């Protein structure tokens, strides 16, 4: 049994808790972000707040890729669910973000399940194309249900949860807090019964069934979580930008979310989310003068990242082979 | 998702199974009776239908005709996850581990059905989900230790040789304390020491309530380990009996050693 005791000890060391280097990196980044408003202000703070919202969107696509191996080019639909939930709750009932956020989560879950159940047997390109249908249909739905959604004009989000604190600051901190909580929840999911089951269903669906994990359950669960996360991203986006309109939820926004996910290497950590979100937020901002070039530059960045990642894994393999003759 | 409460001994039996893919007849009138408390070997040349029979028992394949029962429960119409729910567990001939999970986590997948943490516990560090996770961890660890591979717990499958991965598969199949354990070529790729560890682990594992079936090409292992043996050839059961009886069976000798008249 000493073998087992030793292994248990190693396990504890490997999990290293707070001393883990990666955790330290994330903690350092968090401290930096927490301190930032004392140093900078105005436009940069606003941009970072949008970045947190986009980070949630990128993470939602990454989650789908990680846990089901599928790709969505329609996630702007779920983002819009959250964004409009916040705007409509404010317009109809006068509720601010913290009260409308649970509604956004529930809507996201429901939306994810309603989409995933009928499409549970699709995969790969077929599923991707069916998600595209969501993205294509969405702007039309929003424009035509003008009474609720405000049509082309969209809706404004002006309420803030804490009336006494500066709007800009609470937008920043609330968005950051939601992003951090989401990342912690995702870390918890990875080690949970469901997380392990989903990863097994992704790797070997028939083996997973032999342990009681059905494909349908796996697909619907992943979509529900991913859509809920996207919806939270949308809610934060509406709150951060104080307006929602159909323009922000086109097929292109879905594709950009996918790009953000790829740029962050489909990882589900705070730094990766920030990288994906920053890419989605900053690149169009700084390239605003580039006009038509934006999609091309996006494409180039996507190709570059994909190639670099492949190279990196090749190099890692090569090194591993050298070490183990 | 709960495991059935009763832990009584049930035989796993198949009667008159027919399975075909298109025009290819894979199983023809196969009947087997797998007794609890005994280790049953399933041998035969390549393509004899051993893995197909396994897949029929676990629900991955649906036989064209025939009945499968576990105790009093008819299994033919139950999907694989429902059969898993009844305590039927298996390992795979081709490695079916997730590369994203550590060895320990791969084994913990075997406990999925016995764990009850809900979705809230999946996202929040609730005390109940933590307790359950620690217990699952410990169970998986002791399953690995019983096969002598506890030191590999934190590694990923990519870092380990095929022999060890085979044992990880077996640890995953037995960690949930199944009532029927189906092992598909458990010793393939194992060295002599690993095979011996595996045999000891299986002998320790067997208890009066457990059905164990082993498909294997390693004759020494089968002859030492099994209480009874079925021999399959071209989709039919051609011999059945104790290792000694099977060893003496002229038909089995002909298949394994070739016909002396040829």
């Amino acid at each position: 049994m000493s073998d087992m005791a030793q292994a248990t000890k190693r396990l504890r060391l490997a999990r290293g808790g707070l001393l883990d280097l990666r955790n330290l990196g994330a903690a350092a980044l968090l401290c930096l972000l927490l301190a930032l408003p004392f140093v900078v202000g105005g436009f940069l703070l606003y941009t970072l707040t949008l970045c947190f919202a986009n980070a949630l969107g990128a993470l939602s696509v990454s989650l789908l890729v990680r846990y089901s191996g599928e790709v969505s080019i329609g996630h702007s639909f779920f983002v819009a669910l959250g964004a409009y939930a916040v705007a409509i709750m404010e317009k109809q009932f006068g509720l601010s973000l913290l009260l409308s956020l649970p509604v956004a989560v529930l809507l996201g879950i429901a939306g994810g399940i309603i989409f995933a159940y009928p499409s549970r047997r699709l995969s790969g390109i077929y599923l991707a194309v069916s998600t595209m249908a969501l993205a294509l249909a969405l702007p039309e739905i929003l424009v035509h249900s003008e009474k609720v959604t405000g049509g082309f004009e969209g809706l404004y989000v002006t309420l803030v949860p804490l009336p006494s604190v500066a709007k800009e600051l609470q937008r920043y901190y609330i968005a950051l807090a939601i992003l951090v909580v989401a990342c912690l929840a995702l870390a918890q999911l990875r080690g949970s019964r469901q997380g392990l089951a989903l990863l097994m269903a992704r790797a070997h669906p028939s083996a997973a069934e032999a342990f009681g994990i059905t494909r349908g359950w796996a697909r619907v669960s992943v979509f529900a979580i991913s859509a809920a996360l996207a919806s939270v991203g949308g809610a934060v986006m509406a709150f951060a930008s104080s307006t929602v309109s159909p323009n922000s939820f086109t097929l292109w926004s879905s594709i950009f979310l996918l790009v953000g996910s790829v740029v962050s290497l489909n990882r589900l950590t705070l730094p990766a989310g920030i990288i994906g979100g920053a890419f989605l937020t900053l690149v169009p901002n700084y390239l605003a003068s580039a006009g038509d070039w934006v999609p091309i530059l996006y494409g180039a960045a996507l190709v570059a990242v994909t190639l670099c990642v492949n190279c990196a894994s090749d190099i890692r393999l090569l090194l591993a082979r050298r070490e183990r003759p | 998702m709960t495991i059935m409460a009763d832990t009584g001994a049930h035989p796993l039996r198949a009667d008159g199974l027919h399975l075909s893919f298109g025009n290819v007849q894979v199983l023809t009138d196969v009947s087997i009776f797998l007794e609890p408390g005994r280790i049953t070997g399933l041998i035969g040349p390549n393509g004899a239908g051993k893995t197909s029979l396994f897949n029929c028992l676990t629900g991955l394949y649906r036989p064209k005709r025939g009945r499968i029962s576990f105790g009093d429960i008819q299994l033919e119409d139950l999907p694989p996850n429902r059969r898993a729910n009844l305590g039927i567990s298996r390992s795979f001939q081709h490695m079916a581990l997730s590369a994203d999970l550590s060895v320990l986590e791969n084994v913990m997948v075997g406990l999925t059905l016995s764990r009850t943490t809900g979705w809230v516990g999946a996202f929040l560090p609730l005390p109940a989900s933590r307790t359950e996770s620690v217990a699952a961890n410990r169970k998986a660890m002791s399953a690995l230790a019983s096969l002598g591979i506890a030191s590999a717990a934190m590694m990923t499958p990519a870092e380990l040789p095929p022999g060890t991965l085979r044992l990880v598969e077996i640890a995953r199949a037995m960690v949930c304390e199944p009532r029927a354990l189906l092992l598909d070529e458990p010793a393939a790729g194992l060295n002599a020491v690993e095979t011996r560890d595996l045999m000891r682990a299986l002998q320790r594992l067997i208890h009066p309530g457990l059905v164990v079936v082993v498909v294997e090409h390693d004759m020494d292992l089968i002859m030492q380990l099994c209480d009874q043996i079925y021999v399959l050839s071209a989709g039919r059961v051609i011999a059945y009996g104790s290792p000694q009886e099977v060893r003496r069976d002229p038909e089995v000798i002909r298949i394994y050693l070739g016909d002396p008249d040829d």
Side-chain angles (χ1 to χ4, degrees), chain A residues 47 275 277-290 294 297-298 301:
Chain A
T47 313
I275 289 170
F279 191 86
L280 288 177
T281 319
L282 299 179
V283 173
N285 268 344
Y286 287 116
L287 292 181
S289 54
V294 172
L297 291 168
Y298 256 124

Side-chain angles (χ1 to χ4, degrees), chain A residues 1 3-4 6-8 10-12 14-15 63 66 184-200 202-204 206-215 217 221-222 225 324, chain B residues 1 60 80-81 84 88-90 92 95-98 100-101 104-106 108-110 112-113 115-119 121-125 129 132 137-138 141-142 145 148 150-151 154 158-159 172-173:
Chain A
M1 271 317 195
D3 195 18
M4 188 176 156
Q6 237 178 24
T8 315
R10 210 170 305 148
L11 187 143
R12 257 187 233 129
R15 292 227 167 130
L63 181 115
R66 277 267 149 161
L184 290 174
L186 290 178
Q188 183 75 17
L189 174 70
R190 171 59 180 73
S192 71
R193 165 177 82 91
Q194 290 87 344
L196 302 186
L198 291 173
L199 286 170
M200 181 52 69
R202 180 203 163 169
H204 293 278
S206 53
E209 288 204 24
F211 296 101
I213 305 153
T214 62
R215 289 167 216 221
W217 172 84
S221 306
V222 173
I225 304 168
R324 214 189 311 152
Chain B
M1 288 215 250
L60 290 182
N81 59 310
I88 300 177
S89 185
R90 71 171 291 179
F92 289 82
M95 232 73 82
L97 301 171
S98 168
D100 292 326
L101 301 177
L104 187 73
E105 288 171 329
N106 266 295
M108 282 164 74
V109 168
T112 303
L113 282 172
R115 298 176 68 180
T116 53
T117 311
W119 278 108
F123 292 105
L124 301 176
S129 67
E132 190 192 87
N137 228 302
R138 197 167 294 147
M141 206 61 185
S142 71
S151 55
M154 289 320 292
E159 298 171 298
R172 182 178 62 181

